[in-house]
């Protein structure tokens, strides 16, 4: 179902600090993950930790929630032992006092109390950091991702139970089902978040088994696709080059599907979670949302 008039007023991006990772993490690489994780001495320049903010008529929807500042201030945030060494080798974070989800939203004029839904691309630490501030909102995650989280030893898969399974959170687990929309091809499964066709969740496994992407579309603006950690650079995705973290065959299959979707939807804007160019690509089309709102105001005024 599609509305002729979109409920989306604006789409913005905020960053809850930055992260440096190994070049092999970004990819492409032929090295096994645990080999480069414990031997690589190189780090990328700081990459953003993006949270996408969708302003609708009824409030705010987030795609991902960023990294928790406590991860750099609380010595007990991460597990100990060899598991803790793995986390220490995986990423280096720079998160300042103002880089909370609440603070970043306020900096662009939003109140976190207006967030009614937060969609998580997956459950890794740099996507769930704002959960403590969202007990008033509904938290959406794929059923497959939740089932993976419930399996034994989630911390070894990058899922920090003590920072995910928090009291007071309202979880909504969704399993994408069959969709009948030729504009989503080659995807044959999805989940229409609000039943109006504006926000559609697509299953994009590879980085994790239950990773989701969010397609944002509506009258008067180009479609946007928020892809989480399917890629760390939209250029690499376009060239069908996959990261060094995840299940390679799934990553390749999902990347192929996204590129086919792009070919069938000219102007589709790809927005990864850590791509330094994502904010500029979004800014380049953000004016279309404002123009669309002006048209809507004149039509309903």
């Amino acid at each position: 179902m599609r509305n002729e008039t979109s409920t989306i007023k604006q789409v913005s991006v905020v960053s809850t600090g930055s992260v440096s990772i190994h070049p092999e993490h970004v990819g492409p690489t032929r090295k096994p993950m645990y080999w480069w994780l414990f031997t690589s001495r190189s780090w990328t320049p700081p990459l953003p930790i993006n949270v996408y903010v969708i302003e609708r008529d009824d409030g705010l929807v987030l795609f991902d929630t960023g990294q928790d500042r406590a991860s750099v201030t609380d010595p007990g945030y991460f597990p100990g032992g060899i598991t803790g060494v793995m986390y220490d080798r995986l990423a280096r974070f720079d998160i300042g006092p103002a880089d909370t989800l609440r603070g970043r939203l306020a900096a662009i004029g939003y109140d976190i109390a207006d967030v009614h839904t937060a969609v998580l691309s997956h459950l890794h630490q740099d996507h769930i950091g704002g959960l403590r501030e969202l007990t008033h909102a509904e938290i959406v995650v794929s059923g497959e991702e939740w089932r993976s989280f419930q399996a034994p030893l989630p911390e070894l898969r990058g899922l920090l139970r003590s920072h995910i399974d928090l009291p007071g959170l309202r979880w909504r687990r969704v399993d994408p089902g069959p969709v009948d929309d030729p504009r989503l091809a080659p995807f044959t499964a999805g989940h229409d978040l609000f039943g109006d066709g504006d926000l559609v969740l697509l299953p994009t496994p590879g980085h994790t088994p239950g990773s989701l992407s969010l397609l944002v579309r509506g009258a008067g603006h180009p479609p946007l696709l928020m892809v989480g950690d399917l890629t760390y650079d939209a250029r690499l995705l376009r060239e069908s080059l996959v990261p060094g973290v995840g299940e390679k065959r799934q990553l390749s299959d999902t990347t192929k599907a996204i590129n086919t979707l792009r070919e069938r939807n000219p102007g589709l804007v790809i927005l990864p979670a850590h791509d330094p160019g994502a904010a500029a690509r979004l800014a380049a089309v953000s004016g279309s949302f404002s123009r669309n709102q002006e048209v809507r105001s004149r039509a309903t005024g």
Side-chain angles (χ1 to χ4, degrees):
M1 177 180 179
R2 291 294 307 277
N3 278 343
E4 291 298 324
T5 303
S6 175
T7 61
I8 299 170
K9 300 170 68 176
Q10 187 60 268
V11 180
S12 309
V13 60
V14 296
S15 184
T16 61
S18 64
V19 61
S20 293
I21 55 181
H22 296 291
E24 295 90 344
H25 194 147
V26 176
T29 182
R30 294 182 179 273
K31 300 176 185 177
M33 175 183 165
Y34 286 106
W35 176 260
W36 62 253
L37 180 62
F38 287 103
T39 62
S40 179
R41 297 184 179 182
S42 300
W43 296 88
T44 66
L47 306 175
I49 307 170
N50 287 335
V51 175
Y52 293 100
V53 185
I54 303 158
E55 181 185 357
R56 288 167 39 97
D57 291 340
D58 59 358
L60 302 179
V61 176
L62 304 182
F63 187 71
D64 287 329
T65 69
Q67 178 80 5
D68 192 341
R69 174 161 161 75
S71 65
V72 299
T73 61
D74 180 359
Y77 188 88
F78 293 105
I82 188 63
T83 305
V85 173
M86 180 186 72
Y87 280 94
D88 187 59
R89 287 290 304 162
L90 191 63
R92 294 176 174 177
F93 294 99
D94 183 3
I95 306 172
D99 289 333
T100 63
L101 180 60
R102 182 184 301 272
R104 291 296 96 201
L105 289 175
I108 62 170
Y110 290 128
D111 188 333
I112 198 170
D114 292 329
V115 176
H116 59 71
T117 306
V119 177
L120 301 178
S121 62
H122 61 292
L123 291 172
H124 284 164
Q125 55 166 316
D126 50 335
H127 300 261
I128 56 88
L131 289 181
R132 296 181 190 279
E133 302 178 87
L134 292 170
T135 54
H136 61 284
E138 184 172 67
I139 312 300
V140 177
V141 67
S142 79
E144 183 64 30
E145 189 75 359
W146 190 261
R147 288 186 286 273
S148 174
F149 169 57
Q150 294 298 321
L153 303 175
E155 288 77 12
L156 292 178
R157 300 187 302 280
L159 309 176
L160 297 173
R161 185 180 301 279
S162 61
H163 306 302
I164 296 171
D165 197 5
L166 300 172
L169 291 180
R170 293 189 290 116
W171 291 94
R172 176 183 170 195
R173 295 179 285 278
V174 301
D175 286 300
V179 292
D180 183 18
D181 186 340
R183 285 167 296 187
L184 296 179
F187 288 92
T188 58
H191 179 81
D192 189 339
L193 196 56
F194 298 113
D196 58 11
D198 283 354
L199 301 178
V200 180
L201 297 173
L202 299 175
T204 50
H207 184 70
T208 67
S211 289
L212 291 173
S213 293
L214 177 61
L215 180 64
V216 181
R217 57 187 182 170
H221 62 80
L224 313 174
L225 186 64
M226 300 160 186
V227 299
D229 287 355
L230 174 64
T231 187
Y232 297 86
D233 186 319
R235 178 188 60 82
L236 294 178
L237 186 144
R238 183 184 290 275
E239 296 174 3
S240 298
L241 300 174
V242 302
V245 173
E247 204 287 312
K248 290 292 181 67
R249 178 166 294 183
Q250 279 191 330
L251 284 169
S252 295
D253 290 346
T254 298
T255 295
K256 181 179 179 180
I258 294 293
N259 281 330
T260 301
L261 183 71
R262 185 210 306 268
E263 292 169 3
R264 296 181 179 183
N265 291 267
L268 180 69
V269 180
I270 303 293
L271 300 172
H274 304 293
D275 184 346
R281 288 196 298 278
L282 181 57
V285 300
S286 62
S288 61
F289 292 95
S290 299
R291 290 193 296 273
N292 191 39
Q293 281 305 110
E294 292 173 7
V295 171
R296 291 181 59 203
S297 296
R298 289 196 297 269
T300 58

